[in-house]
Amino acid sequence: MNSVQPTADHSESPAPRVSVIIPAHNTAPFIAETLDSVFGQTFRDFEVIVINDGSPDSAALEVALQPYISRVQYIRQENRGLPGARNAGIGLARGELLAFVDSDDIWMPEYLSAQVEFLDRHPGVHASIADALLFGSCGEAEVWKMLKEGTGPVLTFEQMLKREGGQLPSALVARRGRVLQVGMFDEQLRIGEDVEFCMRLCFPDGTIGYLGRVLVKYRQRPGSLTSDPGKRKWRVAEGEALRALRQKLPLTEAQRTLLDDEIAASDAAVALRDAFDHLSADRFQQGERCLAEANAYFRDPRITLTRFGLKAFPRWTARVANWRRKRAGG
């Protein structure tokens, strides 16, 4: 699929305050709802850029876009993944602020007004993020809090390293100048790119703000990261993103220590999840090895006892371990 020029040329009109960037890939049934939520904002000074990222449902997508086509810039490109699609939108953006929303998510009407007001009140903040409501076909709706309990509304790089705040592109608004300065999204990271991007946004002494309000509805669908059992896929990608970050930034020794601890925690979480999967399938030796790997970080006496039990009474110990995990909601 070859790239084409945007369907609308707004280069002669005054630059908007906000550029809304919407990557689209296999979301034709949902994008109208996303666009309705964007055009239903109480804040009106924005442009909308839709990037068809080599989507196999292009024909259906363009039918869904037809009622909105005069109000958006629409481009088609070869598939580059979410980071590449967002970067294409950034390249076209004219707004001082960049607002990202995936093409199956929904903004509440006051989303942009709240984000712009927050950034205006905190000129030293590079970006701000809101909380989200998880909804869709993968379970009951629940609130996704981006702010760790007890943390203030503005987080430093070190606090982000310690994961005291989360990130979600559909809930993020960033200053375009800063995004261009740090090099946009890493297109080598197809998952976890938002973690790495947000870290670079606030390095070395910048900050990211948190509104502490639910202003986004994040759609859960089969195959999405939030529907992944135990979030294993996400944990693996998170570790890769953090390792990429370590190679890019001139971190202090203290910052490297914080980052290495987060990498170790991510790896340990994956190993622990894998251990229980092995035990469920009666792969006792593999499970015990994964428990040993996980406990190099956790240093939990319960894991140590489970390892000993697997060597003496593997089947019984595996059943008890999985029963405890299910009881704990793991």
Side-chain angles (χ1 to χ4, degrees):
M1 185 184 298
N2 296 321
S3 297
V4 298
Q5 294 299 313
T7 54
D9 182 5
H10 302 288
S11 59
E12 299 301 321
S13 61
R17 186 79 195 279
V18 179
S19 294
V20 178
I21 297 171
I22 307 177
H25 186 86
N26 262 346
T27 51
F30 310 110
I31 195 168
E33 195 173 2
T34 298
L35 286 167
D36 285 343
S37 78
V38 171
F39 289 115
Q41 292 295 298
T42 56
F43 181 90
R44 305 298 303 167
D45 188 12
F46 60 83
E47 64 180 353
V48 179
I49 303 167
V50 178
I51 303 94
N52 178 342
D53 188 44
S55 183
D57 69 347
S58 287
L61 175 67
E62 291 176 358
V63 169
L65 286 174
Q66 197 57 44
Y68 310 91
I69 205 67
S70 65
R71 294 186 284 172
V72 305
Q73 294 186 68
Y74 172 64
I75 64 169
R76 299 170 65 179
Q77 66 179 26
E78 299 286 347
N79 180 258
R80 291 163 53 188
L82 279 170
R86 294 188 189 113
N87 286 346
I90 293 168
L92 292 170
R94 299 178 300 133
E96 171 197 347
L97 302 175
L98 303 176
F100 305 96
V101 58
D102 291 346
S103 52
D104 56 352
D105 294 337
I106 299 169
W107 283 346
M108 296 177 185
E110 66 275 20
Y111 174 79
L112 281 180
S113 62
Q115 291 275 31
V116 172
E117 179 185 358
F118 183 93
L119 289 167
D120 284 346
R121 285 191 287 108
H122 299 85
V125 168
H126 293 316
S128 61
I129 197 164
D131 291 329
L133 180 71
L134 303 179
F135 79 107
S137 60
C138 298
E140 296 183 2
E142 60 177 302
V143 173
W144 185 357
K145 297 291 290 183
M146 300 295 160
L147 186 65
K148 186 174 180 179
E149 194 69 28
T151 307
V154 176
L155 273 72
T156 65
F157 176 70
E158 282 74 14
Q159 288 176 297
M160 290 293 290
L161 275 182
K162 291 186 288 185
R163 313 313 300 279
E164 292 181 9
Q167 65 287 310
L168 175 68
S170 289
L172 178 75
V173 175
R175 300 188 192 276
R176 180 165 63 98
R178 179 62 177 177
V179 171
L180 295 175
Q181 182 183 29
V182 303
M184 303 192 288
F185 287 88
D186 186 340
E187 296 187 29
Q188 301 302 311
L189 300 172
R190 291 297 184 105
I191 303 175
E193 79 289 345
D194 51 346
V195 174
E196 194 264 355
F197 174 71
C198 285
M199 296 287 193
R200 282 189 287 115
L201 273 183
C202 60
F203 178 80
D205 53 5
T207 54
I208 289 184
Y210 288 80
L211 277 66
R213 296 172 56 187
V214 176
L215 294 170
V216 178
K217 294 177 70 176
Y218 179 87
R219 190 185 303 271
Q220 299 183 92
R221 296 186 285 140
S224 68
L225 288 179
T226 52
S227 67
D228 180 30
K231 297 182 172 56
R232 186 188 189 283
K233 186 186 299 184
W234 164 248
R235 289 288 191 182
V236 171
E238 180 183 52
E240 293 175 358
L242 293 174
R243 286 181 174 86
L245 192 72
R246 198 183 195 284
Q247 298 300 314
K248 292 178 183 179
L249 300 181
L251 301 171
T252 66
E253 184 175 350
Q255 290 168 342
R256 280 196 300 272
T257 298
L258 286 174
L259 182 55
D260 287 345
D261 187 67
E262 288 302 319
I263 293 172
S266 180
D267 290 347
V270 172
L272 190 60
R273 177 71 198 190
D274 289 349
F276 285 114
D277 287 344
H278 285 310
L279 296 183
S280 296
D282 291 344
R283 296 188 294 265
F284 306 123
Q285 289 184 342
Q286 296 95 318
E288 193 277 329
R289 284 197 296 268
C290 286
L291 286 175
E293 181 182 341
N295 215 29
Y297 175 80
F298 291 119
R299 301 186 185 280
D300 189 328
R302 294 170 298 180
I303 296 177
T304 302
L305 287 173
T306 301
R307 290 182 60 207
F308 284 130
L310 285 170
K311 293 175 181 178
F313 310 100
R315 195 173 301 277
W316 179 84
T317 302
R319 288 176 179 174
V320 170
N322 275 304
W323 175 78
R324 286 177 174 171
R325 179 186 63 150
K326 291 177 182 177
R327 192 177 179 192

